[in-house]
Amino acid sequence: MIRTRLLFSLFLLSLNANSQIGTGQWRLHVPSNEAIAVVALSTKVYVAFAQGINEFNYASGELTEWNSVNSLSDVTISSMGYSSAQSALFIGYDNGNIDKIKNNKLTNIPAIKLADVQGSKRVNRIVEFEGNLFFATGFSIVKIDPDKEEVIDTYYPTNGNAGIVDIEFRNDSIYALTETKMYVANVNNFALADPSEWYVDERVTELTTPGEKYTELELLGDSLYLLFNNPSYGLDTVFSIGENSIFPAFIESFVMEINTIKSINNRLAVCYSPGVFLYDETFSSFIGVSNYSFSNSGPTLNALSYGNDSYWFADKSLGLTEYKTDTDNRQIIINGPPKKEVYKLDVLQGKLVVAGGGIASVFQTFSGSGVYIFEDEKWQLKDRENMTMWNGQNIWDFVSVAINPLDNNEIAVATYSEVPLSILKADGQVESTFTPLNSNIELTSLGNNSAQIASLNYDDEGNLWFLNGYTTEPLKVYTKEKEWYSFSVNSAAAGKFGDALVIDFNGNKWLAVRDAGLFGLNDNGTINNSSDDKIVVLNTGDFSGALPSNRVTAIAVDFDNEIWIGTDNGFAVLYNSDQAFDAGSGEYNAQRIKLEFEGNVEFVLGNTSITDIIVDGANRKWIATSNSGLVLLSEDGSEIIEQHTAENSPLISNNILNIKLNNETGELFIITDKGLVSYRTDATYEDPDYKNVVVFPNPARPDFDGPITIQGVRFNSDVKITDVAGNLVYKTTSNGGTATWNGKTLDGVKVPTGVYLIWTAANEGKGRKVGKVLIVN
């Protein structure tokens, strides 16, 4: 079925990472550095990133973002193509889905995605020929009528046994390129669905060496060019395919990595790292681009296009760039996370910090992505390139970050590398780095010359606590006086991978160690004296914690100082956390919340694999899962208030890695295996003094159908809405410091145009007027 979706409105169309969102709304934070495709037209250019598309208008300089939250039908983009016959842009996805954009209208064409075939359906390339579009996919070539938006035919050159990476047409022939060989057939043959009608092109040598592959096929004039990628550096080759043979297109040695080739503006572009050569048909002259005038680096491209008398580059590290001449070129700034790798978060006082790249299971990935900071709707990057103390260091796998509550300009950064701990300034440079040579940090017991810091947190006094995995003393602290202390905690925690660490409201530390359960430390307020420390260990034993599993994956502390423990087999709550350190056997067990359903008693969320838990301003619990999306539980956990999945909401994946709340705005930031998305919840921390009460939208216009939000009141206040004459219109109770009103009376009738007054009263104390809102209907 072809599903058409009109863009919601001009407001939603322009909603992007530069704009705030309303309560109940979502936004996708699209990484803007690595552009993967570009299509330049006469008035605008489209640039694709893995999670979205930006449309740049030449004349106005305006940017419009299209993504899965505000318009597109899917998440992971793999290719773009253009139908000149229809003046329409086509977007291909990893899962075979297709979108069409024409005249600001989006149409979804899910035929390939829904096809009952085995293997990959990825759209690798989109090619136009004689008014139709041909889609090179992971199993076939799919021919689509761009006007009727339907599949005309499907060709199987490889009988579905190998993916088609590119397609080209020359005279009466159609060429289908795979990673190892090339197939050819007569384009006028009506039986191309039959694999026997296709022939292996004997001019192109079949590849058998692992790692070697063909990646692109281009036609310039009447000549075919083929890109061969060799896994060894500098051995990539552009071949020219003659009548009876294949030979290198360049006489001179091309000792560099070639990313892509493209027939463009009557030239063959050869894009290497870093630079571009643009050859004419005779290869007797070329244009060379080796540097940008605005950057110290040269272009490293995934794609390029030509329009408005400019070359438009889809750059691997600079996003969208425009090139006219060596002195006339620029970067089009698109606000978004500076890199696509995201792993862990911290949020404090309006500042979001992201650890850019982490581990795979328990193994290092050697990702050098660094740290990203999001503040005042702007992103900045801190990595090895721009942080002096990181430059040239073996620092990678940025796994955790923490903002100092006493100075939100100070950020602690944890890695699994040779430089495991750093302290940096949000507005400046890295100020300190710590290794086993200048601290009590221990290398892992694995002999990999790295130290694993899994999680870190500042306490209320500014001491930095962290979990140093695979060591004999996994819990460590770097005090505000710059002193170091280590804690062995328990022998069961020694020598194991570290997972999570939190500090409760009484200063107790709770840490999760892989497959060993949950450990609690009460240091009695004397960090430098271990003799009065108390330890408690919770595991699956019937009298030693009764956890659902020893693999504790998430820990959260609620307003009652109860410890919510997430595992790979559901969750439990330690209600008597303060007494647990002195409790006897069986007296400190965590409890699972039970509900009766259709006569059966069940655990809330059952054996769901939990990945993270956070507590919002109303003391409700947000539960992140590995395969079931996001769940909001009531304060006591007995009720599911909301559940967001990829199927029922703009959540881009049901596999969630980490979540954090901006408790000033209620915006929940969600890291998934497909990227970073956020959702503005209806709860915030309280403002007991009502200093910053905000009512939005104000005015609420006729086309607004979301809730009117009152933010900045006392915890769980009674909120009343009256007209100017004092007549009660609506009443509710705030979630923490936020209340919402649907613009209707208590009877569900939409209120008439007018000014309405907002009154609040805490459960104890007198009421007060805190704001007013104009409603226009």
Side-chain angles (χ1 to χ4, degrees), residues 25-71:
Q25 293 181 338
W26 296 74
R27 60 172 163 173
L28 182 62
H29 300 269
V30 178
S32 59
N33 64 313
E34 186 175 352
I36 61 174
V38 60
V39 173
L41 306 175
S42 59
T43 60
K44 56 191 172 185
V45 58
Y46 291 96
V47 59
F49 304 93
Q51 298 167 346
I53 288 173
N54 270 271
E55 175 187 331
F56 177 71
N57 185 285
Y58 303 141
S60 66
E62 292 180 354
L63 281 163
T64 301
E65 184 173 312
W66 303 70
N67 60 54
S68 62
V69 168
N70 67 15
S71 52

Side-chain angles (χ1 to χ4, degrees), residues 172-441:
D172 60 354
S173 296
I174 175 174
Y175 298 89
L177 184 68
T178 75
E179 289 188 347
T180 60
K181 64 181 76 172
M182 189 164 75
Y183 294 81
V184 62
N186 189 308
V187 72
N188 299 311
N189 185 342
F190 292 102
L192 292 181
D194 184 352
S196 66
E197 297 299 313
W198 292 79
Y199 304 92
V200 174
D201 193 323
E202 300 295 343
R203 296 172 298 178
V204 177
T205 303
E206 181 177 355
L207 301 180
T208 57
T209 303
E212 294 183 347
K213 60 184 177 179
Y214 298 120
T215 58
E216 287 183 279
L217 187 64
E218 289 291 316
L219 180 70
L220 178 63
D222 198 42
S223 300
L224 280 172
Y225 295 92
L226 175 66
L227 177 57
F228 162 73
N229 284 141
N230 190 304
S232 298
Y233 182 85
L235 297 182
D236 298 339
T237 306
V238 178
F239 288 106
S240 178
I241 303 175
E243 287 298 322
N244 300 304
S245 63
I246 185 172
F247 51 89
F250 311 102
I251 298 175
E252 69 274 15
S253 177
F254 213 91
V255 185
M256 54 193 67
E257 293 290 284
I258 304 175
N259 302 319
T260 186
I261 60 174
K262 173 72 173 177
S263 179
I264 179 172
N265 197 30
N266 298 317
R267 292 182 178 273
L268 183 70
V270 179
C271 305
Y272 58 94
S273 298
V276 182
F277 285 142
L278 293 149
Y279 293 92
D280 66 10
E281 290 187 41
T282 66
F283 281 74
S284 59
S285 68
F286 66 88
I287 300 170
V289 183
S290 58
N291 284 290
Y292 291 121
S293 60
F294 60 84
S295 171
N296 293 327
S297 63
T300 302
L301 308 186
N302 278 317
L304 71 166
S305 188
Y306 188 82
N308 196 38
D309 298 324
S310 294
Y311 289 98
W312 295 89
F313 296 162
D315 197 290
K316 283 189 171 185
S317 59
L318 295 171
L320 178 63
T321 63
E322 180 187 16
Y323 176 85
K324 289 183 181 291
T325 68
D326 285 343
T327 57
D328 187 5
N329 51 83
R330 60 173 174 157
Q331 180 184 17
I332 308 302
I333 303 298
I334 301 173
N335 191 33
K339 296 183 182 180
K340 63 183 179 181
E341 294 83 8
V342 285
Y343 190 71
K344 288 289 177 68
L345 302 161
D346 195 22
V347 184
L348 185 68
Q349 299 168 5
K351 188 192 306 291
L352 168 72
V353 184
V354 182
I359 55 172
S361 182
V362 297
F363 302 105
Q364 294 171 282
T365 64
F366 303 100
S367 167
S369 295
V371 172
Y372 328 138
I373 300 173
F374 185 52
E375 188 173 20
D376 298 327
E377 296 301 308
K378 294 181 180 179
W379 289 91
Q380 61 168 307
L381 168 68
K382 294 184 183 293
D383 65 4
R384 287 181 295 192
E385 301 301 317
N386 58 23
M387 293 291 102
T388 303
M389 294 189 72
W390 287 348
N391 190 261
Q393 299 296 310
N394 289 332
I395 181 170
W396 46 68
D397 292 346
F398 295 79
V399 294
S400 188
V401 286
I403 305 171
N404 189 337
L406 303 183
D407 176 11
N408 78 343
N409 192 44
E410 180 178 293
I411 300 167
V413 179
T415 77
Y416 186 2
S417 74
E418 295 179 19
V419 187
L421 179 63
S422 301
I423 308 295
L424 62 79
K425 295 296 184 181
D427 61 0
Q429 285 281 323
V430 174
E431 296 199 333
S432 305
T433 59
F434 300 104
T435 73
L437 298 177
N438 63 349
S439 72
N440 68 349
I441 299 173

Side-chain angles (χ1 to χ4, degrees), residues 387-603:
M387 293 291 102
T388 303
M389 294 189 72
W390 287 348
N391 190 261
Q393 299 296 310
N394 289 332
I395 181 170
W396 46 68
D397 292 346
F398 295 79
V399 294
S400 188
V401 286
I403 305 171
N404 189 337
L406 303 183
D407 176 11
N408 78 343
N409 192 44
E410 180 178 293
I411 300 167
V413 179
T415 77
Y416 186 2
S417 74
E418 295 179 19
V419 187
L421 179 63
S422 301
I423 308 295
L424 62 79
K425 295 296 184 181
D427 61 0
Q429 285 281 323
V430 174
E431 296 199 333
S432 305
T433 59
F434 300 104
T435 73
L437 298 177
N438 63 349
S439 72
N440 68 349
I441 299 173
E442 298 175 71
L443 292 175
T444 73
S445 57
L446 305 177
N448 57 9
N449 203 38
S450 293
Q452 187 229 354
I453 298 184
S455 182
L456 70 176
N457 281 284
Y458 285 95
D459 64 22
D460 291 340
E461 297 178 356
N463 302 309
L464 180 63
W465 294 82
F466 57 94
L467 182 54
N468 188 188
Y470 293 120
T471 66
T472 56
E473 297 180 309
L475 181 62
K476 294 179 170 59
V477 62
Y478 177 53
T479 71
K480 61 183 178 181
E481 291 85 13
K482 304 185 184 305
E483 297 173 334
W484 298 88
Y485 297 96
S486 299
F487 304 83
S488 60
V489 184
N490 184 276
S491 60
K496 293 184 174 65
F497 182 85
D499 275 311
L501 166 70
V502 300
I503 303 172
D504 71 19
F505 289 110
N506 290 328
N508 300 318
K509 290 76 188 176
W510 300 91
L511 52 149
V513 176
R514 184 66 58 92
D515 296 325
L518 182 71
F519 300 81
L521 168 72
N522 176 354
D523 61 28
N524 274 304
T526 57
I527 295 176
N528 59 350
N529 179 12
S530 61
S531 64
D532 60 356
D533 291 354
K534 297 179 181 180
I535 305 291
V536 64
V537 182
L538 282 76
N539 53 40
T540 56
D542 291 338
F543 300 99
S544 57
L547 296 180
S549 168
N550 279 333
R551 179 163 292 186
V552 175
T553 52
I555 320 168
V557 182
D558 73 6
F559 293 174
D560 300 315
N561 212 42
E562 296 168 351
I563 312 301
W564 290 66
I565 307 161
T567 77
D568 62 352
N569 188 41
F571 74 92
V573 185
L574 180 63
Y575 292 105
N576 58 337
S577 62
D578 294 336
Q579 290 75 40
F581 295 95
D582 296 312
S585 177
E587 296 178 350
Y588 57 92
N589 283 357
Q591 306 297 314
R592 302 196 71 178
I593 299 171
K594 299 177 182 179
L595 291 178
E596 185 173 337
F597 180 72
E598 296 182 350
N600 298 316
V601 177
E602 300 177 355
F603 294 125

